[in-house]
Amino acid sequence: MLLINVASHPVRLKDSAIDLLEMVADVSPGWSMVYSDYEVDTDGQLSEEHLLDHHAGRVRESMDYGSVWLISTAALARALPLQPDVRQHMLYDLRLRLSEQGRMVHIASRYAGGTYTVSKTRQGQNVFDYLLQSKESQLELESVATAHLKRVGAYLAPGAAYEKVPYADKDYPLKASVIIPVNDRPEFIGDAIESVLRQTIPEVEVIVVVNGGDADPTIPVVKSYQEGGSNFRPDAPNVQLLVVDVNNIGYCLNSGLRLARGKFYVQLDSDDQLAEDAVEKILAVYKQDATIGMVIGSYEVWEKQADGNIIRMESMPVVTHDEWTEENGRNNLLRINGAGAPRSFYVEVARDLGYLDMNVSPSARNYGEDYDFVLRMIEKHRMGRVWDPIYKVIRHGGGTDHNIDQATVDRNNNAKDHMRFEAIRRRQKMNEVLNG
């Protein structure tokens, strides 16, 4: 069966398309669906759209399988029926079900090898786009993804396998260590540090890990907050400085964790800021339950203007990631790309879990180390939430969170999809043990 989706854009098959699709199916044992790269026609200008190969970790709804699918009728019969309550995302449901029934075969293109052309205008990629989906849409997507995880044995039931954190009752010199990895951002780091020094909980420290080597211009600004510097305040939290010459975010965070004297780690990116009561509200959540190993907050999105002023982006609501629920959050997380900010966890639990990924996971290039860690953490410990905005994400021209090119999008998706693949495999093994 040939499915051609023209709901969003016109599609024009090449003359040889069906012959190629059928030939590939004929030589692909156990296939359930064949999809291919395609070309994009933007006002007469053709460009190539190279899709990603399928594997079991490709469970996010944004994964592009193109507009033309050759579907095995035998696999389709086994996959049906679709969820009766799904109205907006039937193709997402169908695709996941077909992936359970056989091989999803991808025909790649080197040049002009796509089987069809789609007429559309290319748009820049924005990592915040999925946050603007309607609540109804999000709930439907969650329902489809959760049903898939149940069918493949990777669903985690509410509360299953949670353990008490062994360090919950242990005392530490400080309550929290805020670790800031940074490379060449002297214009932002001062405001980030100041946001920590203003915390309502004084028993904190700042650990700045500069990864640009000794010549990094961020270093003098950080030193100004240490003893003898122009911004040093003896009654303020201590500011530590660690300089390395390898730009590896996971390595920087892990190096900071090894120096940390606080009970909990609190995230702060070098161009962002914590609200004054961020640490206080995070610590209050940990006190609720000794099985909570991680707390994630909510944030506002701000934007730096050309004149240097920072203004709130009113078009972007407070990002609460309320798709995370106590009952199903750790399943729903597998279909989305983020858990929220700021992130916090027990420093010693990070050690027990093997710290954060240091660009070892396939395709990871200073991306996804926190996502992978969250996936591993929530298999053992509850995640607590702060629903009030306690963090400012600052968007600016030098940032990496919006309008990124397709090659970077694909590399980042490959990284997180592999992390999802590994998480699904771990969960399947967990369920085998839990279910005897």
Side-chain angles (χ1 to χ4, degrees), residues 241-258:
L241 171 63
L242 175 63
V243 179
V244 299
D245 58 359
V246 177
N247 184 6
N248 183 307
I249 300 297
Y251 167 62
C252 293
L253 290 170
N254 295 339
S255 298
L257 288 168
R258 287 184 172 182

mmCIF file with all atom_site columns, all heavy atoms in Angstrom, residues 241-258:
data_model
loop_
_atom_site.group_PDB
_atom_site.id
_atom_site.type_symbol
_atom_site.label_atom_id
_atom_site.label_alt_id
_atom_site.label_comp_id
_atom_site.label_asym_id
_atom_site.label_entity_id
_atom_site.label_seq_id
_atom_site.pdbx_PDB_ins_code
_atom_site.Cartn_x
_atom_site.Cartn_y
_atom_site.Cartn_z
_atom_site.occupancy
_atom_site.B_iso_or_equiv
_atom_site.pdbx_formal_charge
_atom_site.auth_seq_id
_atom_site.auth_comp_id
_atom_site.auth_asym_id
_atom_site.auth_atom_id
_atom_site.pdbx_PDB_model_num
ATOM 1   N N   . LEU A 1 241 ? 37.100 28.871 40.821 1.00 0.00 ? 241 LEU A N   1
ATOM 2   C CA  . LEU A 1 241 ? 37.417 28.924 39.401 1.00 0.00 ? 241 LEU A CA  1
ATOM 3   C C   . LEU A 1 241 ? 38.267 27.722 39.031 1.00 0.00 ? 241 LEU A C   1
ATOM 4   O O   . LEU A 1 241 ? 39.298 27.461 39.651 1.00 0.00 ? 241 LEU A O   1
ATOM 5   C CB  . LEU A 1 241 ? 38.177 30.208 39.063 1.00 0.00 ? 241 LEU A CB  1
ATOM 6   C CG  . LEU A 1 241 ? 38.771 30.294 37.644 1.00 0.00 ? 241 LEU A CG  1
ATOM 7   C CD1 . LEU A 1 241 ? 37.671 30.264 36.592 1.00 0.00 ? 241 LEU A CD1 1
ATOM 8   C CD2 . LEU A 1 241 ? 39.625 31.563 37.490 1.00 0.00 ? 241 LEU A CD2 1
ATOM 9   N N   . LEU A 1 242 ? 37.831 26.984 38.042 1.00 0.00 ? 242 LEU A N   1
ATOM 10  C CA  . LEU A 1 242 ? 38.593 25.872 37.497 1.00 0.00 ? 242 LEU A CA  1
ATOM 11  C C   . LEU A 1 242 ? 38.772 26.128 36.009 1.00 0.00 ? 242 LEU A C   1
ATOM 12  O O   . LEU A 1 242 ? 37.794 26.380 35.300 1.00 0.00 ? 242 LEU A O   1
ATOM 13  C CB  . LEU A 1 242 ? 37.860 24.549 37.728 1.00 0.00 ? 242 LEU A CB  1
ATOM 14  C CG  . LEU A 1 242 ? 38.483 23.294 37.092 1.00 0.00 ? 242 LEU A CG  1
ATOM 15  C CD1 . LEU A 1 242 ? 39.853 23.011 37.682 1.00 0.00 ? 242 LEU A CD1 1
ATOM 16  C CD2 . LEU A 1 242 ? 37.557 22.092 37.265 1.00 0.00 ? 242 LEU A CD2 1
ATOM 17  N N   . VAL A 1 243 ? 40.001 26.085 35.527 1.00 0.00 ? 243 VAL A N   1
ATOM 18  C CA  . VAL A 1 243 ? 40.288 26.335 34.108 1.00 0.00 ? 243 VAL A CA  1
ATOM 19  C C   . VAL A 1 243 ? 40.787 25.053 33.456 1.00 0.00 ? 243 VAL A C   1
ATOM 20  O O   . VAL A 1 243 ? 41.730 24.423 33.934 1.00 0.00 ? 243 VAL A O   1
ATOM 21  C CB  . VAL A 1 243 ? 41.340 27.454 33.943 1.00 0.00 ? 243 VAL A CB  1
ATOM 22  C CG1 . VAL A 1 243 ? 41.644 27.687 32.459 1.00 0.00 ? 243 VAL A CG1 1
ATOM 23  C CG2 . VAL A 1 243 ? 40.862 28.747 34.593 1.00 0.00 ? 243 VAL A CG2 1
ATOM 24  N N   . VAL A 1 244 ? 40.131 24.662 32.375 1.00 0.00 ? 244 VAL A N   1
ATOM 25  C CA  . VAL A 1 244 ? 40.565 23.520 31.571 1.00 0.00 ? 244 VAL A CA  1
ATOM 26  C C   . VAL A 1 244 ? 40.672 23.981 30.127 1.00 0.00 ? 244 VAL A C   1
ATOM 27  O O   . VAL A 1 244 ? 40.168 25.049 29.766 1.00 0.00 ? 244 VAL A O   1
ATOM 28  C CB  . VAL A 1 244 ? 39.576 22.335 31.691 1.00 0.00 ? 244 VAL A CB  1
ATOM 29  C CG1 . VAL A 1 244 ? 39.478 21.855 33.129 1.00 0.00 ? 244 VAL A CG1 1
ATOM 30  C CG2 . VAL A 1 244 ? 38.195 22.710 31.164 1.00 0.00 ? 244 VAL A CG2 1
ATOM 31  N N   . ASP A 1 245 ? 41.328 23.204 29.313 1.00 0.00 ? 245 ASP A N   1
ATOM 32  C CA  . ASP A 1 245 ? 41.509 23.623 27.912 1.00 0.00 ? 245 ASP A CA  1
ATOM 33  C C   . ASP A 1 245 ? 40.878 22.639 26.932 1.00 0.00 ? 245 ASP A C   1
ATOM 34  O O   . ASP A 1 245 ? 41.312 22.516 25.782 1.00 0.00 ? 245 ASP A O   1
ATOM 35  C CB  . ASP A 1 245 ? 42.992 23.818 27.592 1.00 0.00 ? 245 ASP A CB  1
ATOM 36  C CG  . ASP A 1 245 ? 43.831 22.575 27.820 1.00 0.00 ? 245 ASP A CG  1
ATOM 37  O OD1 . ASP A 1 245 ? 43.268 21.541 28.261 1.00 0.00 ? 245 ASP A OD1 1
ATOM 38  O OD2 . ASP A 1 245 ? 45.051 22.612 27.554 1.00 0.00 ? 245 ASP A OD2 1
ATOM 39  N N   . VAL A 1 246 ? 39.837 21.940 27.392 1.00 0.00 ? 246 VAL A N   1
ATOM 40  C CA  . VAL A 1 246 ? 39.066 21.041 26.534 1.00 0.00 ? 246 VAL A CA  1
ATOM 41  C C   . VAL A 1 246 ? 37.599 21.443 26.620 1.00 0.00 ? 246 VAL A C   1
ATOM 42  O O   . VAL A 1 246 ? 37.019 21.447 27.708 1.00 0.00 ? 246 VAL A O   1
ATOM 43  C CB  . VAL A 1 246 ? 39.231 19.566 26.954 1.00 0.00 ? 246 VAL A CB  1
ATOM 44  C CG1 . VAL A 1 246 ? 38.358 18.672 26.076 1.00 0.00 ? 246 VAL A CG1 1
ATOM 45  C CG2 . VAL A 1 246 ? 40.685 19.133 26.854 1.00 0.00 ? 246 VAL A CG2 1
ATOM 46  N N   . ASN A 1 247 ? 37.013 21.797 25.490 1.00 0.00 ? 247 ASN A N   1
ATOM 47  C CA  . ASN A 1 247 ? 35.621 22.248 25.462 1.00 0.00 ? 247 ASN A CA  1
ATOM 48  C C   . ASN A 1 247 ? 34.688 21.038 25.394 1.00 0.00 ? 247 ASN A C   1
ATOM 49  O O   . ASN A 1 247 ? 34.213 20.649 24.334 1.00 0.00 ? 247 ASN A O   1
ATOM 50  C CB  . ASN A 1 247 ? 35.396 23.172 24.266 1.00 0.00 ? 247 ASN A CB  1
ATOM 51  C CG  . ASN A 1 247 ? 33.986 23.747 24.245 1.00 0.00 ? 247 ASN A CG  1
ATOM 52  O OD1 . ASN A 1 247 ? 33.202 23.548 25.173 1.00 0.00 ? 247 ASN A OD1 1
ATOM 53  N ND2 . ASN A 1 247 ? 33.655 24.451 23.178 1.00 0.00 ? 247 ASN A ND2 1
ATOM 54  N N   . ASN A 1 248 ? 34.453 20.445 26.566 1.00 0.00 ? 248 ASN A N   1
ATOM 55  C CA  . ASN A 1 248 ? 33.606 19.267 26.695 1.00 0.00 ? 248 ASN A CA  1
ATOM 56  C C   . ASN A 1 248 ? 32.696 19.511 27.891 1.00 0.00 ? 248 ASN A C   1
ATOM 57  O O   . ASN A 1 248 ? 33.145 19.490 29.040 1.00 0.00 ? 248 ASN A O   1
ATOM 58  C CB  . ASN A 1 248 ? 34.478 18.022 26.898 1.00 0.00 ? 248 ASN A CB  1
ATOM 59  C CG  . ASN A 1 248 ? 33.692 16.741 26.983 1.00 0.00 ? 248 ASN A CG  1
ATOM 60  O OD1 . ASN A 1 248 ? 32.761 16.615 27.785 1.00 0.00 ? 248 ASN A OD1 1
ATOM 61  N ND2 . ASN A 1 248 ? 34.073 15.752 26.189 1.00 0.00 ? 248 ASN A ND2 1
ATOM 62  N N   . ILE A 1 249 ? 31.400 19.783 27.627 1.00 0.00 ? 249 ILE A N   1
ATOM 63  C CA  . ILE A 1 249 ? 30.492 20.215 28.688 1.00 0.00 ? 249 ILE A CA  1
ATOM 64  C C   . ILE A 1 249 ? 30.361 19.164 29.787 1.00 0.00 ? 249 ILE A C   1
ATOM 65  O O   . ILE A 1 249 ? 30.376 19.486 30.981 1.00 0.00 ? 249 ILE A O   1
ATOM 66  C CB  . ILE A 1 249 ? 29.098 20.552 28.110 1.00 0.00 ? 249 ILE A CB  1
ATOM 67  C CG1 . ILE A 1 249 ? 29.209 21.681 27.083 1.00 0.00 ? 249 ILE A CG1 1
ATOM 68  C CG2 . ILE A 1 249 ? 28.142 20.943 29.232 1.00 0.00 ? 249 ILE A CG2 1
ATOM 69  C CD1 . ILE A 1 249 ? 29.704 22.978 27.639 1.00 0.00 ? 249 ILE A CD1 1
ATOM 70  N N   . GLY A 1 250 ? 30.202 17.898 29.404 1.00 0.00 ? 250 GLY A N   1
ATOM 71  C CA  . GLY A 1 250 ? 30.085 16.854 30.412 1.00 0.00 ? 250 GLY A CA  1
ATOM 72  C C   . GLY A 1 250 ? 31.312 16.783 31.296 1.00 0.00 ? 250 GLY A C   1
ATOM 73  O O   . GLY A 1 250 ? 31.207 16.626 32.530 1.00 0.00 ? 250 GLY A O   1
ATOM 74  N N   . TYR A 1 251 ? 32.485 16.895 30.691 1.00 0.00 ? 251 TYR A N   1
ATOM 75  C CA  . TYR A 1 251 ? 33.741 16.903 31.456 1.00 0.00 ? 251 TYR A CA  1
ATOM 76  C C   . TYR A 1 251 ? 33.780 18.075 32.428 1.00 0.00 ? 251 TYR A C   1
ATOM 77  O O   . TYR A 1 251 ? 34.185 17.927 33.590 1.00 0.00 ? 251 TYR A O   1
ATOM 78  C CB  . TYR A 1 251 ? 34.912 16.947 30.486 1.00 0.00 ? 251 TYR A CB  1
ATOM 79  C CG  . TYR A 1 251 ? 36.256 17.263 31.095 1.00 0.00 ? 251 TYR A CG  1
ATOM 80  C CD1 . TYR A 1 251 ? 36.833 16.431 32.039 1.00 0.00 ? 251 TYR A CD1 1
ATOM 81  C CD2 . TYR A 1 251 ? 36.945 18.410 30.704 1.00 0.00 ? 251 TYR A CD2 1
ATOM 82  C CE1 . TYR A 1 251 ? 38.082 16.733 32.589 1.00 0.00 ? 251 TYR A CE1 1
ATOM 83  C CE2 . TYR A 1 251 ? 38.184 18.715 31.237 1.00 0.00 ? 251 TYR A CE2 1
ATOM 84  C CZ  . TYR A 1 251 ? 38.752 17.871 32.185 1.00 0.00 ? 251 TYR A CZ  1
ATOM 85  O OH  . TYR A 1 251 ? 39.974 18.172 32.725 1.00 0.00 ? 251 TYR A OH  1
ATOM 86  N N   . CYS A 1 252 ? 33.345 19.251 31.954 1.00 0.00 ? 252 CYS A N   1
ATOM 87  C CA  . CYS A 1 252 ? 33.338 20.435 32.823 1.00 0.00 ? 252 CYS A CA  1
ATOM 88  C C   . CYS A 1 252 ? 32.407 20.240 34.020 1.00 0.00 ? 252 CYS A C   1
ATOM 89  O O   . CYS A 1 252 ? 32.770 20.540 35.169 1.00 0.00 ? 252 CYS A O   1
ATOM 90  C CB  . CYS A 1 252 ? 32.905 21.666 32.031 1.00 0.00 ? 252 CYS A CB  1
ATOM 91  S SG  . CYS A 1 252 ? 34.072 22.187 30.768 1.00 0.00 ? 252 CYS A SG  1
ATOM 92  N N   . LEU A 1 253 ? 31.200 19.760 33.758 1.00 0.00 ? 253 LEU A N   1
ATOM 93  C CA  . LEU A 1 253 ? 30.242 19.549 34.849 1.00 0.00 ? 253 LEU A CA  1
ATOM 94  C C   . LEU A 1 253 ? 30.756 18.493 35.829 1.00 0.00 ? 253 LEU A C   1
ATOM 95  O O   . LEU A 1 253 ? 30.666 18.668 37.051 1.00 0.00 ? 253 LEU A O   1
ATOM 96  C CB  . LEU A 1 253 ? 28.897 19.140 34.273 1.00 0.00 ? 253 LEU A CB  1
ATOM 97  C CG  . LEU A 1 253 ? 28.134 20.228 33.517 1.00 0.00 ? 253 LEU A CG  1
ATOM 98  C CD1 . LEU A 1 253 ? 26.934 19.642 32.790 1.00 0.00 ? 253 LEU A CD1 1
ATOM 99  C CD2 . LEU A 1 253 ? 27.680 21.342 34.464 1.00 0.00 ? 253 LEU A CD2 1
ATOM 100 N N   . ASN A 1 254 ? 31.307 17.408 35.318 1.00 0.00 ? 254 ASN A N   1
ATOM 101 C CA  . ASN A 1 254 ? 31.809 16.355 36.192 1.00 0.00 ? 254 ASN A CA  1
ATOM 102 C C   . ASN A 1 254 ? 33.008 16.831 37.012 1.00 0.00 ? 254 ASN A C   1
ATOM 103 O O   . ASN A 1 254 ? 33.163 16.457 38.181 1.00 0.00 ? 254 ASN A O   1
ATOM 104 C CB  . ASN A 1 254 ? 32.190 15.126 35.363 1.00 0.00 ? 254 ASN A CB  1
ATOM 105 C CG  . ASN A 1 254 ? 30.987 14.487 34.695 1.00 0.00 ? 254 ASN A CG  1
ATOM 106 O OD1 . ASN A 1 254 ? 29.852 14.685 35.118 1.00 0.00 ? 254 ASN A OD1 1
ATOM 107 N ND2 . ASN A 1 254 ? 31.233 13.731 33.638 1.00 0.00 ? 254 ASN A ND2 1
ATOM 108 N N   . SER A 1 255 ? 33.849 17.670 36.405 1.00 0.00 ? 255 SER A N   1
ATOM 109 C CA  . SER A 1 255 ? 34.983 18.231 37.146 1.00 0.00 ? 255 SER A CA  1
ATOM 110 C C   . SER A 1 255 ? 34.485 19.122 38.279 1.00 0.00 ? 255 SER A C   1
ATOM 111 O O   . SER A 1 255 ? 35.032 19.105 39.387 1.00 0.00 ? 255 SER A O   1
ATOM 112 C CB  . SER A 1 255 ? 35.889 19.027 36.200 1.00 0.00 ? 255 SER A CB  1
ATOM 113 O OG  . SER A 1 255 ? 36.441 18.205 35.196 1.00 0.00 ? 255 SER A OG  1
ATOM 114 N N   . GLY A 1 256 ? 33.435 19.904 37.991 1.00 0.00 ? 256 GLY A N   1
ATOM 115 C CA  . GLY A 1 256 ? 32.845 20.720 39.041 1.00 0.00 ? 256 GLY A CA  1
ATOM 116 C C   . GLY A 1 256 ? 32.218 19.888 40.133 1.00 0.00 ? 256 GLY A C   1
ATOM 117 O O   . GLY A 1 256 ? 32.326 20.209 41.329 1.00 0.00 ? 256 GLY A O   1
ATOM 118 N N   . LEU A 1 257 ? 31.563 18.790 39.750 1.00 0.00 ? 257 LEU A N   1
ATOM 119 C CA  . LEU A 1 257 ? 30.948 17.910 40.745 1.00 0.00 ? 257 LEU A CA  1
ATOM 120 C C   . LEU A 1 257 ? 31.994 17.293 41.662 1.00 0.00 ? 257 LEU A C   1
ATOM 121 O O   . LEU A 1 257 ? 31.741 17.070 42.858 1.00 0.00 ? 257 LEU A O   1
ATOM 122 C CB  . LEU A 1 257 ? 30.149 16.810 40.042 1.00 0.00 ? 257 LEU A CB  1
ATOM 123 C CG  . LEU A 1 257 ? 28.844 17.265 39.366 1.00 0.00 ? 257 LEU A CG  1
ATOM 124 C CD1 . LEU A 1 257 ? 28.306 16.173 38.455 1.00 0.00 ? 257 LEU A CD1 1
ATOM 125 C CD2 . LEU A 1 257 ? 27.808 17.666 40.401 1.00 0.00 ? 257 LEU A CD2 1
ATOM 126 N N   . ARG A 1 258 ? 33.161 17.014 41.141 1.00 0.00 ? 258 ARG A N   1
ATOM 127 C CA  . ARG A 1 258 ? 34.227 16.444 41.978 1.00 0.00 ? 258 ARG A CA  1
ATOM 128 C C   . ARG A 1 258 ? 34.730 17.454 43.007 1.00 0.00 ? 258 ARG A C   1
ATOM 129 O O   . ARG A 1 258 ? 35.205 17.069 44.082 1.00 0.00 ? 258 ARG A O   1
ATOM 130 C CB  . ARG A 1 258 ? 35.384 15.972 41.101 1.00 0.00 ? 258 ARG A CB  1
ATOM 131 C CG  . ARG A 1 258 ? 35.071 14.700 40.319 1.00 0.00 ? 258 ARG A CG  1
ATOM 132 C CD  . ARG A 1 258 ? 36.286 14.234 39.536 1.00 0.00 ? 258 ARG A CD  1
ATOM 133 N NE  . ARG A 1 258 ? 36.055 12.917 38.935 1.00 0.00 ? 258 ARG A NE  1
ATOM 134 C CZ  . ARG A 1 258 ? 36.959 12.268 38.226 1.00 0.00 ? 258 ARG A CZ  1
ATOM 135 N NH1 . ARG A 1 258 ? 38.150 12.817 37.990 1.00 0.00 ? 258 ARG A NH1 1
ATOM 136 N NH2 . ARG A 1 258 ? 36.673 11.077 37.731 1.00 0.00 ? 258 ARG A NH2 1
#
